[in-house]
mmCIF file with all atom_site columns, all heavy atoms in Angstrom:
data_model
loop_
_atom_site.group_PDB
_atom_site.id
_atom_site.type_symbol
_atom_site.label_atom_id
_atom_site.label_alt_id
_atom_site.label_comp_id
_atom_site.label_asym_id
_atom_site.label_entity_id
_atom_site.label_seq_id
_atom_site.pdbx_PDB_ins_code
_atom_site.Cartn_x
_atom_site.Cartn_y
_atom_site.Cartn_z
_atom_site.occupancy
_atom_site.B_iso_or_equiv
_atom_site.pdbx_formal_charge
_atom_site.auth_seq_id
_atom_site.auth_comp_id
_atom_site.auth_asym_id
_atom_site.auth_atom_id
_atom_site.pdbx_PDB_model_num
ATOM 1   N N   . TRP B 1 1  ? 45.713 24.962 58.771 1.00 74.00 ? 1  TRP B N   1
ATOM 2   C CA  . TRP B 1 1  ? 45.040 25.765 57.756 1.00 74.00 ? 1  TRP B CA  1
ATOM 3   C C   . TRP B 1 1  ? 45.620 25.468 56.374 1.00 74.00 ? 1  TRP B C   1
ATOM 4   O O   . TRP B 1 1  ? 44.897 25.305 55.397 1.00 74.00 ? 1  TRP B O   1
ATOM 5   C CB  . TRP B 1 1  ? 45.156 27.247 58.108 1.00 74.00 ? 1  TRP B CB  1
ATOM 6   C CG  . TRP B 1 1  ? 44.672 28.170 57.044 1.00 74.00 ? 1  TRP B CG  1
ATOM 7   C CD1 . TRP B 1 1  ? 45.416 29.011 56.278 1.00 74.00 ? 1  TRP B CD1 1
ATOM 8   C CD2 . TRP B 1 1  ? 43.319 28.349 56.614 1.00 74.00 ? 1  TRP B CD2 1
ATOM 9   N NE1 . TRP B 1 1  ? 44.635 29.696 55.407 1.00 74.00 ? 1  TRP B NE1 1
ATOM 10  C CE2 . TRP B 1 1  ? 43.314 29.315 55.587 1.00 74.00 ? 1  TRP B CE2 1
ATOM 11  C CE3 . TRP B 1 1  ? 42.107 27.791 56.979 1.00 74.00 ? 1  TRP B CE3 1
ATOM 12  C CZ2 . TRP B 1 1  ? 42.171 29.727 54.934 1.00 74.00 ? 1  TRP B CZ2 1
ATOM 13  C CZ3 . TRP B 1 1  ? 40.953 28.208 56.334 1.00 74.00 ? 1  TRP B CZ3 1
ATOM 14  C CH2 . TRP B 1 1  ? 40.989 29.167 55.320 1.00 74.00 ? 1  TRP B CH2 1
ATOM 15  N N   . GLU B 1 2  ? 46.938 25.420 56.285 1.00 77.00 ? 2  GLU B N   1
ATOM 16  C CA  . GLU B 1 2  ? 47.601 25.128 55.014 1.00 77.00 ? 2  GLU B CA  1
ATOM 17  C C   . GLU B 1 2  ? 47.202 23.738 54.506 1.00 77.00 ? 2  GLU B C   1
ATOM 18  O O   . GLU B 1 2  ? 46.984 23.553 53.306 1.00 77.00 ? 2  GLU B O   1
ATOM 19  C CB  . GLU B 1 2  ? 49.127 25.232 55.152 1.00 77.00 ? 2  GLU B CB  1
ATOM 20  C CG  . GLU B 1 2  ? 49.622 26.645 55.367 1.00 77.00 ? 2  GLU B CG  1
ATOM 21  C CD  . GLU B 1 2  ? 49.311 27.568 54.187 1.00 77.00 ? 2  GLU B CD  1
ATOM 22  O OE1 . GLU B 1 2  ? 49.289 27.111 53.028 1.00 77.00 ? 2  GLU B OE1 1
ATOM 23  O OE2 . GLU B 1 2  ? 49.083 28.766 54.436 1.00 77.00 ? 2  GLU B OE2 1
ATOM 24  N N   . GLN B 1 3  ? 47.093 22.759 55.405 1.00 80.00 ? 3  GLN B N   1
ATOM 25  C CA  . GLN B 1 3  ? 46.694 21.408 55.018 1.00 80.00 ? 3  GLN B CA  1
ATOM 26  C C   . GLN B 1 3  ? 45.269 21.397 54.488 1.00 80.00 ? 3  GLN B C   1
ATOM 27  O O   . GLN B 1 3  ? 44.968 20.749 53.495 1.00 80.00 ? 3  GLN B O   1
ATOM 28  C CB  . GLN B 1 3  ? 46.835 20.444 56.207 1.00 80.00 ? 3  GLN B CB  1
ATOM 29  C CG  . GLN B 1 3  ? 46.483 19.015 55.873 1.00 80.00 ? 3  GLN B CG  1
ATOM 30  C CD  . GLN B 1 3  ? 47.375 18.423 54.791 1.00 80.00 ? 3  GLN B CD  1
ATOM 31  O OE1 . GLN B 1 3  ? 48.593 18.565 54.816 1.00 80.00 ? 3  GLN B OE1 1
ATOM 32  N NE2 . GLN B 1 3  ? 46.760 17.759 53.821 1.00 80.00 ? 3  GLN B NE2 1
ATOM 33  N N   . LEU B 1 4  ? 44.372 22.120 55.134 1.00 78.00 ? 4  LEU B N   1
ATOM 34  C CA  . LEU B 1 4  ? 42.984 22.208 54.673 1.00 78.00 ? 4  LEU B CA  1
ATOM 35  C C   . LEU B 1 4  ? 42.911 22.830 53.280 1.00 78.00 ? 4  LEU B C   1
ATOM 36  O O   . LEU B 1 4  ? 42.161 22.368 52.424 1.00 78.00 ? 4  LEU B O   1
ATOM 37  C CB  . LEU B 1 4  ? 42.132 23.006 55.664 1.00 78.00 ? 4  LEU B CB  1
ATOM 38  C CG  . LEU B 1 4  ? 41.825 22.323 56.993 1.00 78.00 ? 4  LEU B CG  1
ATOM 39  C CD1 . LEU B 1 4  ? 41.153 23.301 57.941 1.00 78.00 ? 4  LEU B CD1 1
ATOM 40  C CD2 . LEU B 1 4  ? 40.941 21.105 56.774 1.00 78.00 ? 4  LEU B CD2 1
ATOM 41  N N   . LYS B 1 5  ? 43.669 23.904 53.058 1.00 77.00 ? 5  LYS B N   1
ATOM 42  C CA  . LYS B 1 5  ? 43.685 24.540 51.738 1.00 77.00 ? 5  LYS B CA  1
ATOM 43  C C   . LYS B 1 5  ? 44.214 23.572 50.679 1.00 77.00 ? 5  LYS B C   1
ATOM 44  O O   . LYS B 1 5  ? 43.678 23.501 49.569 1.00 77.00 ? 5  LYS B O   1
ATOM 45  C CB  . LYS B 1 5  ? 44.542 25.812 51.761 1.00 77.00 ? 5  LYS B CB  1
ATOM 46  C CG  . LYS B 1 5  ? 43.906 26.941 52.521 1.00 77.00 ? 5  LYS B CG  1
ATOM 47  C CD  . LYS B 1 5  ? 44.580 28.293 52.345 1.00 77.00 ? 5  LYS B CD  1
ATOM 48  C CE  . LYS B 1 5  ? 46.042 28.305 52.173 1.00 77.00 ? 5  LYS B CE  1
ATOM 49  N NZ  . LYS B 1 5  ? 46.661 29.617 52.123 1.00 77.00 ? 5  LYS B NZ  1
ATOM 50  N N   . ALA B 1 6  ? 45.232 22.819 51.021 1.00 80.00 ? 6  ALA B N   1
ATOM 51  C CA  . ALA B 1 6  ? 45.803 21.849 50.072 1.00 80.00 ? 6  ALA B CA  1
ATOM 52  C C   . ALA B 1 6  ? 44.792 20.753 49.750 1.00 80.00 ? 6  ALA B C   1
ATOM 53  O O   . ALA B 1 6  ? 44.662 20.337 48.595 1.00 80.00 ? 6  ALA B O   1
ATOM 54  C CB  . ALA B 1 6  ? 47.087 21.251 50.646 1.00 80.00 ? 6  ALA B CB  1
ATOM 55  N N   . ASN B 1 7  ? 44.072 20.280 50.737 1.00 79.00 ? 7  ASN B N   1
ATOM 56  C CA  . ASN B 1 7  ? 43.055 19.242 50.508 1.00 79.00 ? 7  ASN B CA  1
ATOM 57  C C   . ASN B 1 7  ? 41.968 19.737 49.563 1.00 79.00 ? 7  ASN B C   1
ATOM 58  O O   . ASN B 1 7  ? 41.514 19.005 48.681 1.00 79.00 ? 7  ASN B O   1
ATOM 59  C CB  . ASN B 1 7  ? 42.420 18.801 51.830 1.00 79.00 ? 7  ASN B CB  1
ATOM 60  C CG  . ASN B 1 7  ? 43.365 18.042 52.718 1.00 79.00 ? 7  ASN B CG  1
ATOM 61  O OD1 . ASN B 1 7  ? 44.430 17.592 52.278 1.00 79.00 ? 7  ASN B OD1 1
ATOM 62  N ND2 . ASN B 1 7  ? 43.003 17.905 53.975 1.00 79.00 ? 7  ASN B ND2 1
ATOM 63  N N   . VAL B 1 8  ? 41.549 20.978 49.730 1.00 74.00 ? 8  VAL B N   1
ATOM 64  C CA  . VAL B 1 8  ? 40.517 21.548 48.863 1.00 74.00 ? 8  VAL B CA  1
ATOM 65  C C   . VAL B 1 8  ? 41.060 21.698 47.446 1.00 74.00 ? 8  VAL B C   1
ATOM 66  O O   . VAL B 1 8  ? 40.367 21.384 46.470 1.00 74.00 ? 8  VAL B O   1
ATOM 67  C CB  . VAL B 1 8  ? 40.021 22.906 49.419 1.00 74.00 ? 8  VAL B CB  1
ATOM 68  C CG1 . VAL B 1 8  ? 39.156 23.627 48.409 1.00 74.00 ? 8  VAL B CG1 1
ATOM 69  C CG2 . VAL B 1 8  ? 39.263 22.687 50.718 1.00 74.00 ? 8  VAL B CG2 1
ATOM 70  N N   . ALA B 1 9  ? 42.282 22.147 47.320 1.00 75.00 ? 9  ALA B N   1
ATOM 71  C CA  . ALA B 1 9  ? 42.885 22.324 45.999 1.00 75.00 ? 9  ALA B CA  1
ATOM 72  C C   . ALA B 1 9  ? 43.010 20.982 45.276 1.00 75.00 ? 9  ALA B C   1
ATOM 73  O O   . ALA B 1 9  ? 42.774 20.899 44.072 1.00 75.00 ? 9  ALA B O   1
ATOM 74  C CB  . ALA B 1 9  ? 44.249 22.993 46.138 1.00 75.00 ? 9  ALA B CB  1
ATOM 75  N N   . GLU B 1 10 ? 43.357 19.927 45.993 1.00 79.00 ? 10 GLU B N   1
ATOM 76  C CA  . GLU B 1 10 ? 43.489 18.600 45.391 1.00 79.00 ? 10 GLU B CA  1
ATOM 77  C C   . GLU B 1 10 ? 42.148 18.056 44.912 1.00 79.00 ? 10 GLU B C   1
ATOM 78  O O   . GLU B 1 10 ? 42.056 17.434 43.869 1.00 79.00 ? 10 GLU B O   1
ATOM 79  C CB  . GLU B 1 10 ? 44.089 17.617 46.397 1.00 79.00 ? 10 GLU B CB  1
ATOM 80  C CG  . GLU B 1 10 ? 45.565 17.789 46.633 1.00 79.00 ? 10 GLU B CG  1
ATOM 81  C CD  . GLU B 1 10 ? 46.073 16.866 47.743 1.00 79.00 ? 10 GLU B CD  1
ATOM 82  O OE1 . GLU B 1 10 ? 45.386 15.881 48.085 1.00 79.00 ? 10 GLU B OE1 1
ATOM 83  O OE2 . GLU B 1 10 ? 47.155 17.143 48.271 1.00 79.00 ? 10 GLU B OE2 1
ATOM 84  N N   . SER B 1 11 ? 41.104 18.312 45.689 1.00 73.00 ? 11 SER B N   1
ATOM 85  C CA  . SER B 1 11 ? 39.785 17.772 45.321 1.00 73.00 ? 11 SER B CA  1
ATOM 86  C C   . SER B 1 11 ? 39.150 18.568 44.190 1.00 73.00 ? 11 SER B C   1
ATOM 87  O O   . SER B 1 11 ? 38.185 18.116 43.582 1.00 73.00 ? 11 SER B O   1
ATOM 88  C CB  . SER B 1 11 ? 38.855 17.755 46.534 1.00 73.00 ? 11 SER B CB  1
ATOM 89  O OG  . SER B 1 11 ? 38.509 19.078 46.909 1.00 73.00 ? 11 SER B OG  1
ATOM 90  N N   . GLY B 1 12 ? 39.677 19.762 43.914 1.00 66.00 ? 12 GLY B N   1
ATOM 91  C CA  . GLY B 1 12 ? 39.150 20.581 42.828 1.00 66.00 ? 12 GLY B CA  1
ATOM 92  C C   . GLY B 1 12 ? 37.838 21.262 43.178 1.00 66.00 ? 12 GLY B C   1
ATOM 93  O O   . GLY B 1 12 ? 37.193 21.847 42.323 1.00 66.00 ? 12 GLY B O   1
ATOM 94  N N   . SER B 1 13 ? 37.439 21.185 44.405 1.00 58.00 ? 13 SER B N   1
ATOM 95  C CA  . SER B 1 13 ? 36.169 21.775 44.831 1.00 58.00 ? 13 SER B CA  1
ATOM 96  C C   . SER B 1 13 ? 36.443 23.067 45.579 1.00 58.00 ? 13 SER B C   1
ATOM 97  O O   . SER B 1 13 ? 36.776 23.050 46.753 1.00 58.00 ? 13 SER B O   1
ATOM 98  C CB  . SER B 1 13 ? 35.414 20.799 45.740 1.00 58.00 ? 13 SER B CB  1
ATOM 99  O OG  . SER B 1 13 ? 34.312 21.440 46.302 1.00 58.00 ? 13 SER B OG  1
ATOM 100 N N   . THR B 1 14 ? 36.354 24.175 44.859 1.00 55.00 ? 14 THR B N   1
ATOM 101 C CA  . THR B 1 14 ? 36.544 25.461 45.516 1.00 55.00 ? 14 THR B CA  1
ATOM 102 C C   . THR B 1 14 ? 35.274 26.290 45.490 1.00 55.00 ? 14 THR B C   1
ATOM 103 O O   . THR B 1 14 ? 35.262 27.426 45.934 1.00 55.00 ? 14 THR B O   1
ATOM 104 C CB  . THR B 1 14 ? 37.675 26.264 44.840 1.00 55.00 ? 14 THR B CB  1
ATOM 105 O OG1 . THR B 1 14 ? 37.308 26.447 43.473 1.00 55.00 ? 14 THR B OG1 1
ATOM 106 C CG2 . THR B 1 14 ? 38.998 25.546 44.967 1.00 55.00 ? 14 THR B CG2 1
ATOM 107 N N   . GLY B 1 15 ? 34.201 25.730 44.956 1.00 58.00 ? 15 GLY B N   1
ATOM 108 C CA  . GLY B 1 15 ? 32.941 26.464 44.868 1.00 58.00 ? 15 GLY B CA  1
ATOM 109 C C   . GLY B 1 15 ? 32.167 26.414 46.172 1.00 58.00 ? 15 GLY B C   1
ATOM 110 O O   . GLY B 1 15 ? 32.517 25.706 47.108 1.00 58.00 ? 15 GLY B O   1
ATOM 111 N N   . MET B 1 16 ? 31.103 27.159 46.191 1.00 54.00 ? 16 MET B N   1
ATOM 112 C CA  . MET B 1 16 ? 30.251 27.207 47.360 1.00 54.00 ? 16 MET B CA  1
ATOM 113 C C   . MET B 1 16 ? 28.927 26.529 47.024 1.00 54.00 ? 16 MET B C   1
ATOM 114 O O   . MET B 1 16 ? 28.412 26.679 45.928 1.00 54.00 ? 16 MET B O   1
ATOM 115 C CB  . MET B 1 16 ? 29.974 28.667 47.763 1.00 54.00 ? 16 MET B CB  1
ATOM 116 C CG  . MET B 1 16 ? 29.086 28.804 48.979 1.00 54.00 ? 16 MET B CG  1
ATOM 117 S SD  . MET B 1 16 ? 28.581 30.501 49.315 1.00 54.00 ? 16 MET B SD  1
ATOM 118 C CE  . MET B 1 16 ? 30.116 31.301 49.591 1.00 54.00 ? 16 MET B CE  1
ATOM 119 N N   . GLN B 1 17 ? 28.383 25.798 47.977 1.00 54.00 ? 17 GLN B N   1
ATOM 120 C CA  . GLN B 1 17 ? 27.081 25.166 47.784 1.00 54.00 ? 17 GLN B CA  1
ATOM 121 C C   . GLN B 1 17 ? 26.172 25.628 48.901 1.00 54.00 ? 17 GLN B C   1
ATOM 122 O O   . GLN B 1 17 ? 26.524 25.556 50.080 1.00 54.00 ? 17 GLN B O   1
ATOM 123 C CB  . GLN B 1 17 ? 27.211 23.645 47.826 1.00 54.00 ? 17 GLN B CB  1
ATOM 124 C CG  . GLN B 1 17 ? 25.862 22.955 47.689 1.00 54.00 ? 17 GLN B CG  1
ATOM 125 C CD  . GLN B 1 17 ? 25.995 21.447 47.741 1.00 54.00 ? 17 GLN B CD  1
ATOM 126 O OE1 . GLN B 1 17 ? 27.057 20.899 47.550 1.00 54.00 ? 17 GLN B OE1 1
ATOM 127 N NE2 . GLN B 1 17 ? 24.899 20.789 48.004 1.00 54.00 ? 17 GLN B NE2 1
ATOM 128 N N   . LEU B 1 18 ? 25.010 26.126 48.536 1.00 52.00 ? 18 LEU B N   1
ATOM 129 C CA  . LEU B 1 18 ? 24.033 26.555 49.513 1.00 52.00 ? 18 LEU B CA  1
ATOM 130 C C   . LEU B 1 18 ? 23.017 25.453 49.732 1.00 52.00 ? 18 LEU B C   1
ATOM 131 O O   . LEU B 1 18 ? 22.685 24.707 48.813 1.00 52.00 ? 18 LEU B O   1
ATOM 132 C CB  . LEU B 1 18 ? 23.318 27.817 49.030 1.00 52.00 ? 18 LEU B CB  1
ATOM 133 C CG  . LEU B 1 18 ? 24.198 29.027 48.788 1.00 52.00 ? 18 LEU B CG  1
ATOM 134 C CD1 . LEU B 1 18 ? 23.372 30.171 48.212 1.00 52.00 ? 18 LEU B CD1 1
ATOM 135 C CD2 . LEU B 1 18 ? 24.867 29.466 50.074 1.00 52.00 ? 18 LEU B CD2 1
ATOM 136 N N   . ASN B 1 19 ? 22.521 25.367 50.934 1.00 55.00 ? 19 ASN B N   1
ATOM 137 C CA  . ASN B 1 19 ? 21.444 24.415 51.191 1.00 55.00 ? 19 ASN B CA  1
ATOM 138 C C   . ASN B 1 19 ? 20.233 24.856 50.408 1.00 55.00 ? 19 ASN B C   1
ATOM 139 O O   . ASN B 1 19 ? 19.997 26.039 50.201 1.00 55.00 ? 19 ASN B O   1
ATOM 140 C CB  . ASN B 1 19 ? 21.120 24.363 52.677 1.00 55.00 ? 19 ASN B CB  1
ATOM 141 C CG  . ASN B 1 19 ? 22.224 23.702 53.456 1.00 55.00 ? 19 ASN B CG  1
ATOM 142 O OD1 . ASN B 1 19 ? 22.998 22.936 52.923 1.00 55.00 ? 19 ASN B OD1 1
ATOM 143 N ND2 . ASN B 1 19 ? 22.294 24.020 54.735 1.00 55.00 ? 19 ASN B ND2 1
ATOM 144 N N   . LYS B 1 20 ? 19.447 23.871 49.945 1.00 59.00 ? 20 LYS B N   1
ATOM 145 C CA  . LYS B 1 20 ? 18.263 24.208 49.173 1.00 59.00 ? 20 LYS B CA  1
ATOM 146 C C   . LYS B 1 20 ? 17.179 23.198 49.485 1.00 59.00 ? 20 LYS B C   1
ATOM 147 O O   . LYS B 1 20 ? 17.423 22.153 50.072 1.00 59.00 ? 20 LYS B O   1
ATOM 148 C CB  . LYS B 1 20 ? 18.571 24.231 47.687 1.00 59.00 ? 20 LYS B CB  1
ATOM 149 C CG  . LYS B 1 20 ? 19.084 22.914 47.144 1.00 59.00 ? 20 LYS B CG  1
ATOM 150 C CD  . LYS B 1 20 ? 19.447 23.040 45.688 1.00 59.00 ? 20 LYS B CD  1
ATOM 151 C CE  . LYS B 1 20 ? 20.002 21.708 45.198 1.00 59.00 ? 20 LYS B CE  1
ATOM 152 N NZ  . LYS B 1 20 ? 20.375 21.778 43.807 1.00 59.00 ? 20 LYS B NZ  1
ATOM 153 N N   . LEU B 1 21 ? 15.965 23.527 49.073 1.00 55.00 ? 21 LEU B N   1
ATOM 154 C CA  . LEU B 1 21 ? 14.825 22.660 49.275 1.00 55.00 ? 21 LEU B CA  1
ATOM 155 C C   . LEU B 1 21 ? 14.994 21.401 48.443 1.00 55.00 ? 21 LEU B C   1
ATOM 156 O O   . LEU B 1 21 ? 15.424 21.460 47.292 1.00 55.00 ? 21 LEU B O   1
ATOM 157 C CB  . LEU B 1 21 ? 13.541 23.395 48.859 1.00 55.00 ? 21 LEU B CB  1
ATOM 158 C CG  . LEU B 1 21 ? 12.226 22.693 49.123 1.00 55.00 ? 21 LEU B CG  1
ATOM 159 C CD1 . LEU B 1 21 ? 12.020 22.490 50.618 1.00 55.00 ? 21 LEU B CD1 1
ATOM 160 C CD2 . LEU B 1 21 ? 11.077 23.522 48.565 1.00 55.00 ? 21 LEU B CD2 1
ATOM 161 N N   . ALA B 1 22 ? 14.662 20.266 49.028 1.00 56.00 ? 22 ALA B N   1
ATOM 162 C CA  . ALA B 1 22 ? 14.767 18.998 48.316 1.00 56.00 ? 22 ALA B CA  1
ATOM 163 C C   . ALA B 1 22 ? 13.879 19.018 47.080 1.00 56.00 ? 22 ALA B C   1
ATOM 164 O O   . ALA B 1 22 ? 12.834 19.675 47.058 1.00 56.00 ? 22 ALA B O   1
ATOM 165 C CB  . ALA B 1 22 ? 14.372 17.850 49.232 1.00 56.00 ? 22 ALA B CB  1
ATOM 166 N N   . ALA B 1 23 ? 14.284 18.282 46.025 1.00 59.00 ? 23 ALA B N   1
ATOM 167 C CA  . ALA B 1 23 ? 13.542 18.272 44.759 1.00 59.00 ? 23 ALA B CA  1
ATOM 168 C C   . ALA B 1 23 ? 12.111 17.796 44.928 1.00 59.00 ? 23 ALA B C   1
ATOM 169 O O   . ALA B 1 23 ? 11.214 18.215 44.208 1.00 59.00 ? 23 ALA B O   1
ATOM 170 C CB  . ALA B 1 23 ? 14.269 17.383 43.754 1.00 59.00 ? 23 ALA B CB  1
ATOM 171 N N   . ASP B 1 24 ? 11.861 16.926 45.930 1.00 57.00 ? 24 ASP B N   1
ATOM 172 C CA  . ASP B 1 24 ? 10.505 16.421 46.140 1.00 57.00 ? 24 ASP B CA  1
ATOM 173 C C   . ASP B 1 24 ? 9.636  17.398 46.914 1.00 57.00 ? 24 ASP B C   1
ATOM 174 O O   . ASP B 1 24 ? 8.493  17.093 47.230 1.00 57.00 ? 24 ASP B O   1
ATOM 175 C CB  . ASP B 1 24 ? 10.537 15.073 46.847 1.00 57.00 ? 24 ASP B CB  1
ATOM 176 C CG  . ASP B 1 24 ? 11.140 15.159 48.244 1.00 57.00 ? 24 ASP B CG  1
ATOM 177 O OD1 . ASP B 1 24 ? 11.593 16.250 48.632 1.00 57.00 ? 24 ASP B OD1 1
ATOM 178 O OD2 . ASP B 1 24 ? 11.150 14.123 48.938 1.00 57.00 ? 24 ASP B OD2 1
ATOM 179 N N   . GLY B 1 25 ? 10.164 18.573 47.239 1.00 53.00 ? 25 GLY B N   1
ATOM 180 C CA  . GLY B 1 25 ? 9.385  19.573 47.973 1.00 53.00 ? 25 GLY B CA  1
ATOM 181 C C   . GLY B 1 25 ? 9.429  19.359 49.473 1.00 53.00 ? 25 GLY B C   1
ATOM 182 O O   . GLY B 1 25 ? 8.750  20.031 50.219 1.00 53.00 ? 25 GLY B O   1
ATOM 183 N N   . GLY B 1 26 ? 10.258 18.413 49.914 1.00 51.00 ? 26 GLY B N   1
ATOM 184 C CA  . GLY B 1 26 ? 10.356 18.126 51.339 1.00 51.00 ? 26 GLY B CA  1
ATOM 185 C C   . GLY B 1 26 ? 11.113 19.212 52.070 1.00 51.00 ? 26 GLY B C   1
ATOM 186 O O   . GLY B 1 26 ? 11.521 20.213 51.494 1.00 51.00 ? 26 GLY B O   1
ATOM 187 N N   . GLY B 1 27 ? 11.298 19.012 53.326 1.00 50.00 ? 27 GLY B N   1
ATOM 188 C CA  . GLY B 1 27 ? 12.077 19.970 54.088 1.00 50.00 ? 27 GLY B CA  1
ATOM 189 C C   . GLY B 1 27 ? 11.335 20.491 55.283 1.00 50.00 ? 27 GLY B C   1
ATOM 190 O O   . GLY B 1 27 ? 11.700 21.485 55.874 1.00 50.00 ? 27 GLY B O   1
ATOM 191 N N   . GLY B 1 28 ? 10.267 19.838 55.668 1.00 50.00 ? 28 GLY B N   1
ATOM 192 C CA  . GLY B 1 28 ? 9.558  20.249 56.864 1.00 50.00 ? 28 GLY B CA  1
ATOM 193 C C   . GLY B 1 28 ? 8.396  21.149 56.550 1.00 50.00 ? 28 GLY B C   1
ATOM 194 O O   . GLY B 1 28 ? 7.965  21.267 55.407 1.00 50.00 ? 28 GLY B O   1
ATOM 195 N N   . GLY B 1 29 ? 7.907  21.782 57.554 1.00 49.00 ? 29 GLY B N   1
ATOM 196 C CA  . GLY B 1 29 ? 6.765  22.669 57.375 1.00 49.00 ? 29 GLY B CA  1
ATOM 197 C C   . GLY B 1 29 ? 5.467  21.930 57.556 1.00 49.00 ? 29 GLY B C   1
ATOM 198 O O   . GLY B 1 29 ? 5.420  20.750 57.885 1.00 49.00 ? 29 GLY B O   1
ATOM 199 N N   . SER B 1 30 ? 4.382  22.610 57.291 1.00 48.00 ? 30 SER B N   1
ATOM 200 C CA  . SER B 1 30 ? 3.063  22.045 57.555 1.00 48.00 ? 30 SER B CA  1
ATOM 201 C C   . SER B 1 30 ? 2.491  21.329 56.359 1.00 48.00 ? 30 SER B C   1
ATOM 202 O O   . SER B 1 30 ? 1.393  20.814 56.422 1.00 48.00 ? 30 SER B O   1
ATOM 203 C CB  . SER B 1 30 ? 2.115  23.168 57.977 1.00 48.00 ? 30 SER B CB  1
ATOM 204 O OG  . SER B 1 30 ? 1.965  24.095 56.922 1.00 48.00 ? 30 SER B OG  1
ATOM 205 N N   . GLY B 1 31 ? 3.183  21.331 55.244 1.00 48.00 ? 31 GLY B N   1
ATOM 206 C CA  . GLY B 1 31 ? 2.668  20.682 54.060 1.00 48.00 ? 31 GLY B CA  1
ATOM 207 C C   . GLY B 1 31 ? 1.814  21.607 53.214 1.00 48.00 ? 31 GLY B C   1
ATOM 208 O O   . GLY B 1 31 ? 1.358  21.245 52.150 1.00 48.00 ? 31 GLY B O   1
ATOM 209 N N   . VAL B 1 32 ? 1.594  22.818 53.660 1.00 46.00 ? 32 VAL B N   1
ATOM 210 C CA  . VAL B 1 32 ? 0.833  23.785 52.881 1.00 46.00 ? 32 VAL B CA  1
ATOM 211 C C   . VAL B 1 32 ? 1.750  24.299 51.785 1.00 46.00 ? 32 VAL B C   1
ATOM 212 O O   . VAL B 1 32 ? 2.908  24.615 52.027 1.00 46.00 ? 32 VAL B O   1
ATOM 213 C CB  . VAL B 1 32 ? 0.335  24.947 53.776 1.00 46.00 ? 32 VAL B CB  1
ATOM 214 C CG1 . VAL B 1 32 ? -0.402 25.967 52.958 1.00 46.00 ? 32 VAL B CG1 1
ATOM 215 C CG2 . VAL B 1 32 ? -0.537 24.405 54.893 1.00 46.00 ? 32 VAL B CG2 1
ATOM 216 N N   . ALA B 1 33 ? 1.249  24.399 50.588 1.00 49.00 ? 33 ALA B N   1
ATOM 217 C CA  . ALA B 1 33 ? 2.064  24.731 49.424 1.00 49.00 ? 33 ALA B CA  1
ATOM 218 C C   . ALA B 1 33 ? 2.541  26.170 49.447 1.00 49.00 ? 33 ALA B C   1
ATOM 219 O O   . ALA B 1 33 ? 2.022  27.026 48.751 1.00 49.00 ? 33 ALA B O   1
ATOM 220 C CB  . ALA B 1 33 ? 1.277  24.461 48.155 1.00 49.00 ? 33 ALA B CB  1
ATOM 221 N N   . GLY B 1 34 ? 3.544  26.471 50.282 1.00 53.00 ? 34 GLY B N   1
ATOM 222 C CA  . GLY B 1 34 ? 4.156  27.778 50.285 1.00 53.00 ? 34 GLY B CA  1
ATOM 223 C C   . GLY B 1 34 ? 3.409  28.851 51.049 1.00 53.00 ? 34 GLY B C   1
ATOM 224 O O   . GLY B 1 34 ? 3.867  29.972 51.124 1.00 53.00 ? 34 GLY B O   1
#
């Protein structure tokens, strides 16, 4: 656990990223616009 925390601190990435719809509108579904 301590090693994982150190790796994150070194990379400078402590933020959270959520999955989101691709910019091209992809991501599955039937192709119907919403």
Side-chain angles (χ1 to χ4, degrees):
W1 172 249
E2 291 297 328
Q3 182 61 46
L4 289 172
K5 289 191 326 185
N7 291 346
V8 169
E10 285 175 18
S11 69
S13 171
T14 59
M16 180 188 299
Q17 177 180 342
L18 299 176
N19 290 337
K20 60 184 178 180
L21 186 63
D24 63 356
S30 63
V32 178

